[in-house]
């Protein structure tokens, strides 16, 4: 895939750059490219005020992200898919799932997260431990 980008006011007398995007999954530049691409998702999230309107928080590190929300799960998933689709990206269906964190746990960035009740107070809290895979 290649594209031509016009960069006005770049200090190099309005140059045209021809970019060729190559696959570099697992390479040292891969997280940088993910951050550049997915910055659009961050901006859309902020401009559309998704966190305030739908009580949904986006937690992202390079190309890995988790959305924490109290509802509107299908709508938020469709919105994320729409933004990613506009960038020519798709969610990995094998890694994408919706769950109720009060009933199921999940791993993210080498940590295992679960909501449990405190044995003395009975209040729920998020317990975060290193994931088994990270310990191996």
């Amino acid at each position: 895939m290649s594209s031509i980008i016009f960069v006005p006011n770049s200090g190099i007398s309005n140059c045209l750059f021809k970019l060729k995007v190559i696959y570099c999954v697992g390479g040292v530049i891969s997280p940088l490219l993910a951050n550049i691409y997915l910055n659009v998702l961050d901006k859309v999230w902020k401009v559309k005020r998704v966190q305030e309107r739908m009580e949904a928080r986006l937690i992202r590190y390079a190309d890995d992200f988790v959305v924490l929300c109290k509802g509107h799960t299908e709508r938020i998933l469709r919105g994320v898919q729409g933004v990613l689709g506009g960038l020519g990206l798709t969610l990995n269906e094998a890694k994408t799932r919706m769950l109720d964190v009060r009933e199921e746990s999940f791993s993210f960035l080498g940590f295992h997260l679960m909501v449990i009740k405190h044995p003395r107070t009975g209040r729920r809290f998020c317990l975060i431990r290193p994931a088994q895979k990270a310990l191996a």
Side-chain angles (χ1 to χ4, degrees):
M1 164 181 25
S2 64
S3 57
I4 297 184
I5 297 178
F6 176 67
V7 184
N9 303 322
S10 63
I12 318 173
S13 48
N14 296 336
C15 294
L16 285 174
F17 293 96
K18 185 170 182 180
L19 301 177
K20 187 165 192 148
V21 177
I22 58 171
Y23 293 97
C24 59
V25 175
V28 292
I29 197 156
S30 183
L32 174 64
L33 290 176
N35 279 330
I36 291 169
Y37 248 66
L38 293 178
N39 184 52
V40 173
L41 179 61
D42 298 337
K43 296 286 186 193
V44 168
W45 201 268
K46 190 171 189 173
V47 168
K48 295 206 178 235
R49 300 184 61 229
V50 177
Q51 183 166 325
E52 294 85 1
R53 291 186 310 109
M54 296 187 189
E55 295 185 85
R57 176 160 282 173
L58 174 68
I59 301 167
R60 188 175 71 76
Y61 183 82
D63 64 340
D64 295 319
F65 63 90
V66 170
V67 176
L68 304 173
C69 56
K70 293 184 176 180
H72 308 285
T73 53
E74 292 290 336
R75 184 175 176 191
I76 292 168
L77 178 61
R78 284 193 311 271
V80 168
Q81 288 171 328
V83 171
L84 295 179
L87 296 170
L89 303 171
T90 58
L91 290 173
N92 182 336
E93 295 299 325
K95 294 182 177 181
T96 303
R97 64 186 177 128
M98 284 189 279
L99 59 91
D100 185 340
V101 75
R102 295 170 295 189
E103 298 171 10
E104 295 181 64
S105 60
F106 68 97
S107 293
F108 181 61
L109 298 177
F111 293 94
H112 193 74
L113 296 94
M114 65 185 85
V115 173
I116 62 170
K117 284 187 178 182
H118 191 278
R120 278 185 267 159
T121 65
R123 295 182 71 183
R124 292 180 179 262
F125 70 98
C126 184
L127 178 64
I128 304 171
R129 293 186 171 159
Q132 289 297 321
K133 188 176 177 182
L135 294 174

